Amino acid sequence: MALLGLAACGGDGRLRDLSNTPGGPEEFGIVPNKPLETPPSVSELPPPVPEGRNRADLTPRVDAVAALGGDPARLEPGAVPARDRTLVAAVSRFGVPEDIRAQLAAEDAAFRRGKARFANIRLVPVDRYNQAYAGQALDAFAAHRRYRAEGLRTPSAPPEAR
């Protein structure tokens, strides 16, 4: 019994939990805002948009890129650099669903629900993440060998673990 009790204490495992049962508020999800500031004129304020950003919201990625001398505008969604416009046009030639993220999230939730049936009826907790997604995993070394066999130039790869 003591061994089972100790085994249950190792890590929370929510990232790999297929059942995804919410247990309450996330204490690390509460982040303080930037201090409020009054703009020199009200006309400088951007018009409000649904699901838009608040000027007092934290932007850690943008702040880090700016502090390191990068261009924070390149992080904006929808801002496609000129060198990538041809690629984006090619992959979106058949159209792009507006709700692709919500659609993928719903499909993945249904997939995990189907794989998680009877997963919680065990004496010993089992990490079923790799089992559930095994059919969707890519074998990087097999792809590397296949591309090399076809004569394509590939970057060097680390040796396979045996």
Side-chain angles (χ1 to χ4, degrees), residues 12 34 61 69 79 106 115 121 125 139 141 145:
D12 82 13
K34 291 180 183 176
R61 291 182 68 205
K115 293 289 185 174
I121 307 174
D139 184 356
F141 292 108
R145 285 190 302 271

Side-chain angles (χ1 to χ4, degrees), residues 58-146:
L58 292 179
T59 54
R61 291 182 68 205
V62 171
D63 296 343
V65 168
L68 294 172
D71 181 11
R74 294 182 66 184
L75 294 176
E76 290 297 320
V80 179
R83 68 177 185 275
D84 294 339
R85 287 195 181 117
T86 306
L87 175 65
V88 171
V91 298
S92 59
R93 65 188 175 274
F94 299 120
V96 179
E98 291 294 323
D99 62 340
I100 188 68
R101 290 183 187 269
Q103 179 183 345
L104 290 176
E107 289 174 3
D108 188 55
F111 176 79
R112 284 186 287 116
R113 227 180 355 266
K115 293 289 185 174
R117 288 196 180 107
F118 307 113
N120 296 329
I121 307 174
R122 294 179 188 257
L123 284 175
V124 181
V126 176
D127 183 7
R128 293 186 29 99
Y129 183 87
N130 289 330
Q131 295 171 356
Y133 289 100
Q136 298 177 10
L138 299 176
D139 184 356
F141 292 108
H144 190 253
R145 285 190 302 271
R146 188 174 67 246

